[in-house]
């Protein structure tokens, strides 16, 4: 008979993954997930008797042995009982992450106690055991003994285990793989006890979740039995016919059933592996849910099997082995979500390991802490990761290696990123009239990588190796190490990031630029007035203009302002300080736009304040009775552009617009929204602009340095793909407030507007990325315009915008010299000063793929993949784009499996340590509204998100695609820290809990129906769950610790994100809950997106196809 393992079998394609439990509302539950804390909403809770679930293995009453063992329970019973812990599911989980042994400690039979012996480490053949059985045909039966009295259902009394609970596990020597020593991790985690496996290829107990940056837990020989346990003979091959089977099942070709087990837990047959013998499977093990754990469910670092909740002093239980009884096994158990890589675990580990020490940038090719970790940067010669992050910090030396591994060589650059208060902004260097020192050939700017020679009279360029003369005024003697004596006095010789003051040679038309201008252009059509927008905006602008960006310690901003209102025609306002009242000039000839006044249109705010305030009083009254519903849009941008041209300055247009521009005018659009095109080959036209008019207009805007920020207030389709094009190509920002009502959405809009007006910004910018010989920048993603292949042109660039750059080989790289990247941004500051901001980064180069995979950053990789995909939808069907993403990711992981992981069965899914979250994050991207929309998502929303994501940095894409879900009911009142996040899945939510979910654009508070009344009273100021008003958008200000802490959390989360998130209250089983569940990214989505578990199985199948 075919025996199936306890996880999803997917040797052959299975339509719909029939083996998986589908989560729903009818008491359906996953084993191993603590119900009270994590069960699906209507799953069993204490004191609640669930009905039997059709899809999964039946649960028996507590203590009663099951009459027959389905693969799941039987599997676990062998696995756990065999390793002296037959009840791992039921003990209280500990959140601390186990003591760790010194790396060098030998593991030998002896009498000294080992805290992890109770789990007989699961590497090598012992690991293969359950999985070999999963993939073989079994004959004969085994005696299922009940569990021995010594096996208690709870935490072990001590670390000593009695000998009889240990099964023999095979020969006891470690297999030493010949691997270079540089793979040893630089630091052993604190508490130093469990053996960390220092070399890729060296076996290690799977449950030591402290792998170095390579894959974890390789196959090797098994561990010895404890003293006193006889070692049974190894079985090689199948028993003779008729012979009872006592040890391993016969070795037969795989039947195609391979449970996906990650990072070195073999899941397929390993023929001819001696020394693998199991103890008899025991009966009576029950798959009851564990008690709620306090805090994290620890997750293995790279080694994943069927893991149950954690045990005291131990970081994760053993993978369940399949039973091999002769009884039929009708159901196949769903892969346990706790056994696969957890984003939360990785994030928390990184915080604890890397969040305490400052990150010094002095070492080449250092991988920085994750974007989710709060850390301080010390610039010692390489740019801070806040400015540049790479997907790989160790680049392959040749293009062949790069093609083989398929890891994109990419950097995400955020040139004007905001730094925290405890980090100094880049120093400004002034070289006087001569300007910045540069290489004569490649024009790279002076940086710490330049080599001074001939006593300091010349320097050799680190990028092109050209030797240039040092100008007399810049000369300095060298010390005995060849460094200049003034090295640490000059930012450009000692820091990774700094600014040069640019000379007139760097200015347009060789003229020092005028200070920039802001022009506010307000839609005064019927919709804009009815929603309360015009009144709200005019009130706000009276005070907002006090906060225009200013230079350093300047008393007032140098930025001038102008005002236009429009519907089918445009109204310009003269607000010259000498006037008593503002004057309005109407331009109705919109086919040929011009600015009717020069003097008095752009003014200094302080000088004209009285006139400006008078204008804001009058605008809402002037248009109060309008019945004009049609608007224009193209001429509005043209008017702003002409005004900036006339004033000979760069600037920004703030356009507040409400409807599709249907009025007769240049840039007129028609409603072309068509849901029928979704998932067809023509779907791409929905993302493309419907006319070339705006393309040409964008080009003109960039040439003038005219940036467009667009605030949209639509009640229906407005064609964001076309209206947003100028914004996108000029480096502007787009904001969208669908069905805007001043009372409900005003807070969000005004906060966004404030931040948009006040943020750090550079105008009329050009960015160029130079690289050392061997690689070059070939592709760019972001909000900008390119008229050639090297210069990224931006009408403006603000502190939130990031540009993703891809590099390709054009020659071989040198392992010793490494690779250098220099990003130079030329821009005009808000005071009109022309500057160059320089960021330098040096990377390592390698000839071994293992070194590449050890120094990757998944978050940056995902940032690149999503931007690649979101650009791909402009020219390809979304289905093709999704397939391409999956293929490239599968190739990356298959290459690692083939070239870097130690030999093991094909049934294993082995992931590089640095990329173990690639599948879960990739699945989030594939399920996003742009690539896989549900019926409720509008075309405009998809285009809007597509545009937003294109200029996001790594931190923003990280939380946008895998939202942060915080258990509010676990807030520690005595600590400033947030509660530890939980995984984005419905089964993690407790009926008795309150959760906060945020993704940078949306903010929800979800309340379970069984939440304690005291907690509801403390936060919402009502007596019960039923009285909570789900229409509220702000928490009541109450004087108690819970309310204060939660409101402070919400404020801090909003402050971390570039856009204001409107709070939405979601009650369990409420109609809004569907929207909330859309953000639970590990679950199946309504529109057909796979769950994390299913997608992992799919990825494994893809990888195995590539390998075969």
């Amino acid at each position: 008979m075919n025996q199936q393992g306890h996880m999803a079998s997917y040797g052959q394609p299975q339509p719909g993954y029939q083996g998986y439990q589908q989560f729903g509302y009818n008491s359906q539950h996953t084993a191993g997930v603590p119900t009270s804390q994590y069960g699906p909403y209507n799953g069993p809770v204490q004191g609640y008797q669930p009905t039997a679930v059709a899809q999964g293995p039946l649960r028996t009453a507590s203590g009663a042995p099951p009459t027959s063992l389905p693969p799941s329970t039987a599997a676990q019973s062998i696995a756990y009982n065999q390793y002296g812990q037959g009840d791992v599911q039921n003990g209280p989980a500990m959140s601390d992450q186990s003591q760790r042994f010194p790396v060098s400690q030998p593991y030998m039979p002896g009498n000294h106690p080992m805290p992890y012996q109770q789990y007989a480490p699961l590497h090598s053949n012992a690991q293969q055991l359950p999985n070999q059985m999963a993939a073989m045909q079994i004959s004969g039966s085994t005696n299922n003994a009940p569990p021995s009295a010594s096996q208690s259902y709870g935490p072990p009394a001590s670390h000593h285990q009695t000998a009889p609970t240990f099964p023999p596990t095979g020969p006891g020597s470690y297999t030493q793989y010949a691997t270079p020593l540089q793979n040893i991790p630089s630091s052993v985690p604190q508490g130093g006890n469990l053996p960390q496996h220092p070399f890729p290829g060296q076996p290690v107990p799977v449950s030591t979740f402290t792998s170095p940056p390579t894959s974890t837990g390789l196959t090797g020989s098994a561990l010895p039995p404890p003293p006193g346990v006889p070692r049974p003979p190894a079985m090689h091959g199948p028993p003779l016919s008729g012979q009872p089977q006592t040890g391993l099942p016969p070795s037969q070709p795989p039947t195609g059933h391979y449970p996906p087990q990650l990072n070195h837990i073999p899941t397929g047959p390993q023929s001819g592996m001696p020394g693998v013998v199991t103890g008899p499977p025991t009966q009576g093990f029950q798959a009851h849910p564990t008690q709620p754990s306090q805090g994290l469910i620890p997750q293995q670092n790279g080694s994943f099997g069927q893991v149950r909740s954690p045990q005291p002093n131990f970081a994760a239980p053993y993978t369940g082995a399949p039973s091999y009884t002769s009884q039929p096994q009708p159901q196949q158990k769903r892969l346990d979500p706790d056994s696969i890589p957890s984003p939360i675990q990785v994030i928390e580990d990184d915080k604890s390991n890397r969040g305490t020490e400052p990150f010094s940038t002095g070492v080449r090719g250092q991988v920085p802490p994750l974007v989710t970790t709060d850390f301080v940067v010390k610039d010692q010669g390489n740019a801070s990761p806040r400015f540049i992050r790479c997907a790989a910090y160790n680049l392959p030396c040749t293009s062949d290696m790069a093609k083989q591994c398929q890891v994109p060589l990419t950097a995400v650059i955020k040139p004007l990123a905001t730094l925290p208060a405890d980090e100094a902004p880049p120093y400004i260097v002034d070289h006087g009239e001569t300007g910045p020192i540069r290489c004569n050939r490649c024009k790279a700017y002076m940086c710490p990588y330049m080599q001074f020679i001939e006593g300091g009279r010349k320097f050799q360029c680190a990028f092109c190796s050209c030797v240039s003369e040092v100008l007399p005024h810049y000369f300095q003697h060298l010390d005995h190490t060849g460094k200049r004596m003034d090295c640490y006095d000059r930012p450009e010789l000692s820091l990774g990031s700094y600014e040069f003051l640019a000379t007139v040679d760097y200015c347009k038309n060789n003229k020092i630029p005028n200070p920039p201008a802001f022009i506010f252009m307000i839609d005064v059509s019927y919709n804009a007035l009815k929603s309360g927008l015009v009144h709200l905006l005019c009130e706000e602008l009276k005070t907002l203009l006090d906060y225009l960006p200013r230079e350093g310690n300047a008393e007032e901003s140098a930025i001038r302002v102008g005002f236009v209102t429009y519907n089918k025609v445009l109204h310009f306002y003269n607000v010259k300080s000498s006037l008593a009242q503002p004057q309005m000039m109407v331009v109705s000839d919109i086919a040929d736009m011009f600015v009717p006044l020069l003097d008095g249109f752009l003014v200094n705010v302080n000088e004209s304040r009285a006139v400006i305030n008078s204008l804001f009083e009058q605008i809402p009254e002037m248009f109060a009775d309008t019945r004009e519903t049609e608007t224009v849009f193209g001429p509005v941008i043209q008017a702003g552009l002409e005004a900036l041209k006339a004033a000979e300055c760069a600037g920004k247009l703030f356009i507040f617009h409400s409807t599709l521009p249907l009025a007769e005018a240049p840039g007129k659009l028609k409603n072309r929204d068509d849901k029928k095109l979704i998932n067809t080959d023509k779907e791409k036209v929905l993302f493309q602009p419907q006319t070339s008019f705006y393309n040409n207009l964008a080009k003109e805007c960039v040439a003038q340095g005219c940036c467009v920020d667009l605030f949209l207030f639509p009640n229906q389709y407005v064609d964001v793909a076309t209206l947003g094009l100028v914004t996108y190509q000029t480096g502007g920002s787009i904001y969208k407030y669908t069905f805007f009502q001043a009372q409900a959405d005003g807070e969000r809009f005004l906060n966004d507007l404030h931040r948009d007006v006040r943020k750090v910004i550079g105008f009329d910018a050009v960015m160029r990325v130079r690289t050392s010989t061997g690689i070059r920048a070939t592709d760019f993603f972001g909000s900008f315009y390119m008229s050639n292949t090297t210069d990224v042109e931006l009408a403006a660039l603000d502190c939130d915008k990031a540009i993703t750059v891809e590099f390709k080989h054009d020659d071989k790289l040198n392992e010793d010299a490494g690779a250098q990247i220099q990003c130079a941004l030329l821009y005009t500051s808000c005071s009109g000063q022309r500057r160059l901001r320089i960021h330098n980064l040096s990377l390592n180069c390698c000839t071994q793929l293992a070194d590449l995979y050890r120094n990757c950053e998944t978050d940056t990789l995902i940032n690149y993949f999503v931007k690649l995909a979101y650009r791909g939808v402009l020219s390809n069907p979304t289905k093709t784009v999704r397939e391409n993403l999956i293929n490239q990711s599968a190739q990356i992981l298959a290459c690692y499996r083939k070239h870097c992981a130690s030999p093991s069965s094909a049934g294993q899914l082995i992931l590089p340590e640095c990329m173990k979250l690639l599948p879960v994050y990739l699945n989030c991207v594939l399920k996003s509204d742009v690539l896989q929309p549900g019926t409720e998502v509008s075309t405009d929303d998809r285009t809007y998100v597509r545009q937003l994501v294109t200029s996001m940095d790594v931190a923003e894409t990280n939380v946008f695609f895998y939202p942060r879900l915080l258990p509010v009911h676990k807030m520690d009142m005595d600590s400033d820290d947030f509660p530890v996040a939980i995984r984005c899945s419905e089964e993690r939510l407790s009926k008795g809990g309150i959760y906060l979910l945020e993704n940078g654009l949306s903010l929800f508070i979800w309340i379970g129906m069984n939440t304690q009344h005291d907690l509801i009273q403390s936060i919402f100021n009502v007596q019960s769950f039923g009285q909570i008003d789900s229409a509220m958008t702000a928490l009541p200000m109450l004087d108690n610790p819970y309310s204060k802490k939660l409101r402070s959390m919400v404020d801090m989360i909003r402050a971390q994100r570039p856009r204001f998130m409107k709070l939405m209250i979601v009650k369990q089983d409420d109609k809004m809950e569907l929207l909330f569940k859309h953000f639970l990214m590990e679950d199946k989505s309504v529109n057909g997106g796979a769950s994390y578990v299913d997608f992992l199985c799919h990825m494994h199948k893809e990888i195995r196809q590539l390998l075969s």
Side-chain angles (χ1 to χ4, degrees), residues 677 679-689 721 728 781 865-885 925-926 928-933 939 942-947 950:
L677 297 182
N679 291 327
T680 69
D681 286 352
K682 289 186 178 172
E683 184 177 8
K684 60 192 176 199
V685 303
L686 297 175
F687 296 107
Q688 298 165 355
Y728 177 69
F781 304 84
F865 275 149
V866 68
K867 290 180 182 180
L868 182 70
Y870 281 15
R871 186 170 70 185
V873 298
L874 292 173
S875 47
N876 298 291
T878 48
K879 185 169 181 280
T880 310
V881 173
R882 289 200 304 270
E883 284 167 0
N884 291 346
L885 272 187
V925 173
L926 296 171
S928 66
D929 291 336
V930 174
L931 296 182
Q932 194 161 24
T939 306
R942 294 176 71 198
T943 311
Y944 173 62
V945 167
R946 187 190 153 268
Q947 222 167 300
T950 305

Side-chain angles (χ1 to χ4, degrees), residues 955-971:
E956 289 172 76
T957 49
N958 174 273
V959 76
F960 182 73
F961 288 102
Y962 193 92
R964 178 158 57 159
L965 183 57
L966 302 170
V968 169
H969 54 283
K970 292 190 176 179
M971 290 186 299

